[in-house]
Amino acid sequence: MSRRRLVLAYPGDLETRTGGYIYDRRLALELEARGWAVERLSLGDGFPLPSPARLATVERELARIQDGTTVLVDGLALGAMPRQVERVGARLDLVALVHHPLCLETGLSPSDAATLERSERAALAAMRAVVVTSPRTADTLVSLMSVPVGAITVALPGVDDAPIAPGSRDGVLRLLCVGTVVPRKGQALLVDALSGLPGRWELTIVGSLETDPATADRLRAVIGEAGLGKRVRLVGELSSEALAMRYDASDLFVSASFYEGYGMALAEALARGLPIVAAAGGAVADTVPSAAGLLVSPGDRDALREALTRCVREPALLARLREGALLTRERLPRWQDTAARVEHALLGKAT
């Protein structure tokens, strides 16, 4: 019996070790283990608004795919594709994978946000099915993009089995933030909230500094203006092994993201038993239970600072949140579960 064939189409570099790219990469590996022949297809860079070169790449790459092939398109590419997918929708089996709508990215002008909303709506209308990474994203696509409920499959991101993080042992509270440095992730707000924080602490920010160089430069400036150059380190992207070492050495995971379709880095922290302080944007409250983290309103610097101060000053609170994280880690889905849900959506094509 021939293997089922799938083209996994995504923007950028699939080796990126944060967010949706982890999902795509692990999904490909798990589907291959389940008997699929997966072709990985990059649709070029350009986030969140497509460049003319990216549009040309999309047109060219979709045109070469054999009729009847199932194509799983990462939603990070959908903003580029309304006309392109409409042209091939009749001959390809198109399924979207949406982490969150691009039109909800922080920092977009009203005009750009409206353009992306129209573009994504049109692209999603051409899809046979839609896979999303959280119930919150499913609800958003139904209300904002008019995607039929029956077309949506929720496939929560999985986690790998990971050892419990031992944390620091020298009396310094080590904070970890993982995420590409773009406006939505709110790293500058996090640094602002840390300014004047009492006690002995250090923050490491892991994530690409190349995706949005202007935002990375502003973050460096905020760190300098706050006088935190010796306490806050930007280490860029790390290998999987180096990132695992950062988790192991950390005592508290922190995030000021304005919106998350799920919050994969948060789940990875919970998988290691790390307590969390985070902004509750999007689906974060669904990912991080109150027993494992302190959540504040997105954009509320003072509330974020207060939550961080409590963790510094109240060791008993931090220990209690760690216990909650250790309980939560046992309930997190694994990547095999994720792949099974996605496979269900891929096989749903009418014959």
Side-chain angles (χ1 to χ4, degrees):
M1 184 175 67
S2 61
R3 302 176 71 195
R4 301 185 182 96
R5 182 180 176 225
L6 172 71
V7 174
L8 174 61
Y10 54 89
D13 180 7
L14 200 60
E15 292 308 307
T16 299
R17 293 177 177 86
T18 56
Y21 292 107
I22 293 177
Y23 190 108
D24 293 1
R25 185 170 66 250
R26 287 306 307 270
L27 180 61
L29 294 173
E30 293 295 338
L31 287 174
E32 286 171 339
R34 299 173 76 89
W36 290 76
V38 180
E39 176 186 348
R40 297 155 176 80
L41 173 63
S42 176
L43 296 178
D45 293 315
F47 175 79
L49 293 168
S51 65
R54 179 174 166 190
L55 289 170
T57 297
V58 170
E59 190 94 30
R60 181 176 63 253
E61 294 297 338
L62 289 177
R64 74 171 182 79
I65 299 175
Q66 181 179 352
D67 289 3
T69 300
T70 298
V71 183
L72 181 62
V73 186
D74 190 301
L76 297 175
L78 282 179
M81 297 179 61
R83 292 189 301 276
Q84 286 73 17
V85 298
E86 288 170 352
R87 290 170 185 163
V88 300
R91 68 177 190 84
L92 299 178
D93 177 33
L94 298 176
V95 179
L97 168 58
V98 180
H99 305 279
H100 70 272
L102 290 181
C103 64
L104 298 182
E105 281 291 325
T106 302
L108 293 174
S109 69
S111 174
D112 286 345
T115 296
L116 277 171
E117 182 178 339
R118 290 193 299 270
S119 178
E120 290 177 278
R121 179 189 290 267
L124 287 168
M127 298 287 155
R128 187 260 299 172
V130 179
V131 176
V132 297
T133 57
S134 73
R136 182 68 61 97
T137 298
D139 293 342
T140 301
L141 293 189
V142 171
S143 61
L144 184 63
M145 302 288 180
S146 301
V147 177
V149 174
I152 297 175
T153 296
V154 178
L156 298 178
V159 295
D160 289 312
D161 292 331
I164 297 171
S168 62
R169 301 176 185 275
D170 58 3
V172 178
L173 185 69
R174 288 192 163 79
L175 317 179
L176 178 66
C177 176
V178 178
T180 301
V181 179
V182 295
R184 178 171 56 87
K185 294 295 185 178
Q187 288 98 338
L189 176 66
L190 173 61
V191 171
D192 193 15
L194 286 166
S195 180
L197 192 72
R200 299 176 62 197
W201 59 267
E202 294 177 356
L203 168 67
T204 298
I205 297 177
V206 178
S208 174
L209 301 169
E210 310 299 328
T211 300
D212 189 338
T215 296
D217 287 342
R218 285 195 293 273
L219 178 58
R220 293 186 184 98
V222 169
I223 293 170
E225 291 165 2
L228 294 176
K230 293 184 178 180
R231 286 194 166 194
V232 179
R233 289 188 294 173
L234 305 179
V235 298
E237 288 223 79
L238 298 177
S239 68
S240 299
E241 294 77 13
L243 180 56
M245 291 175 64
R246 294 288 180 177
Y247 276 111
D248 284 345
S250 299
D251 304 294
L252 178 66
F253 191 90
V254 294
S255 170
S257 180
F258 292 93
Y259 187 93
E260 291 291 337
Y262 176 72
M264 289 179 58
L266 298 168
E268 290 170 2
L270 291 171
R272 292 165 169 82
L274 285 176
I276 290 172
V277 169
V284 169
D286 300 326
T287 304
V288 181
S290 59
L294 300 179
L295 303 182
V296 303
S297 298
D300 192 334
R301 181 201 60 185
D302 293 340
L304 184 58
R305 179 178 292 162
E306 180 181 352
L308 291 165
T309 300
R310 289 188 63 194
C311 288
V312 170
R313 288 180 169 169
E314 302 176 34
L317 169 64
L318 202 61
R320 188 165 67 248
L321 294 176
R322 180 177 172 85
E323 288 299 318
L326 290 171
L327 291 174
T328 301
R329 77 191 291 264
E330 303 301 329
R331 301 193 295 267
L332 293 170
R334 296 313 193 247
W335 284 110
Q336 297 95 320
D337 306 318
T338 306
R341 295 288 295 168
V342 174
E343 186 177 49
H344 177 78
L346 296 176
L347 295 177
K349 182 180 178 181
T351 57

